[in-house]
Amino acid sequence: MTSRSTAGLARLNAVDDETAARLLREVCASTAWAAAVLAKRPYPDAEALFAASDSALREMTAEDLGEAMAGHPPIGRPKPGDPASAREQRGMAGASDRLRAELLELNLAYQERFGHVFLICATGLTGEQMRDAARARIGNTLEQEREIVRGELGKINRIRLTRLASAEGDPS
């Protein structure tokens, strides 16, 4: 993303607060994150938008992180009819039944241990890489995992914000 303003970013800056908040909540389901990013409009460029996102992410409480994670489907089960979810989890598209079963089992164990969905920036990862990450992270402490989740959410938010800021179509 270049430092120049894009059509999508210009529209994000121009729409009313309600529409902008809705668009931002599609990026990240946390109300606190969306409100913090919304409050810093207008954005001169994508880098300023990313900086606001990163700042808001650092300020998120455990409850805010929980709200954000609730907006993400489990790995291996993208939201039906949601092209962003399917695109982000593309690495699972050709996964074997065995790999899908392993991930389901790991997702359930992870959720039982930490109380929320296993969150990983799945873009560009294979099913095996996602499985291996779930295996490695399940032994983490709650505090370790919370910081990893914050980092993964930051990666996801940047990918989604890039798409939003560069969108050519009407974002509303």
Side-chain angles (χ1 to χ4, degrees), residues 77-153:
R77 292 185 281 159
K79 287 182 193 173
D82 181 352
S85 181
R87 182 176 46 251
E88 291 168 355
Q89 293 195 32
R90 190 174 324 187
M92 287 300 295
S96 68
D97 289 342
R98 180 175 178 207
L99 180 57
R100 287 182 186 283
E102 282 181 87
L103 257 171
L104 176 59
E105 191 175 309
L106 284 164
N107 277 327
L108 293 172
Y110 181 96
Q111 190 156 0
E112 186 172 310
R113 176 162 168 74
F114 295 108
H116 57 77
V117 67
F118 171 69
L119 186 74
I120 188 168
C121 181
T123 301
L125 298 180
T126 66
E128 290 81 3
Q129 290 170 315
M130 289 181 249
R131 177 204 56 211
D132 294 347
R135 281 182 183 161
R137 287 173 48 190
I138 204 159
N140 288 340
T141 66
L142 182 58
E143 294 76 24
Q144 289 170 322
E145 195 55 25
R146 188 173 293 134
E147 289 314 305
I148 291 170
V149 163
R150 194 180 300 274
E152 294 297 313
L153 187 58

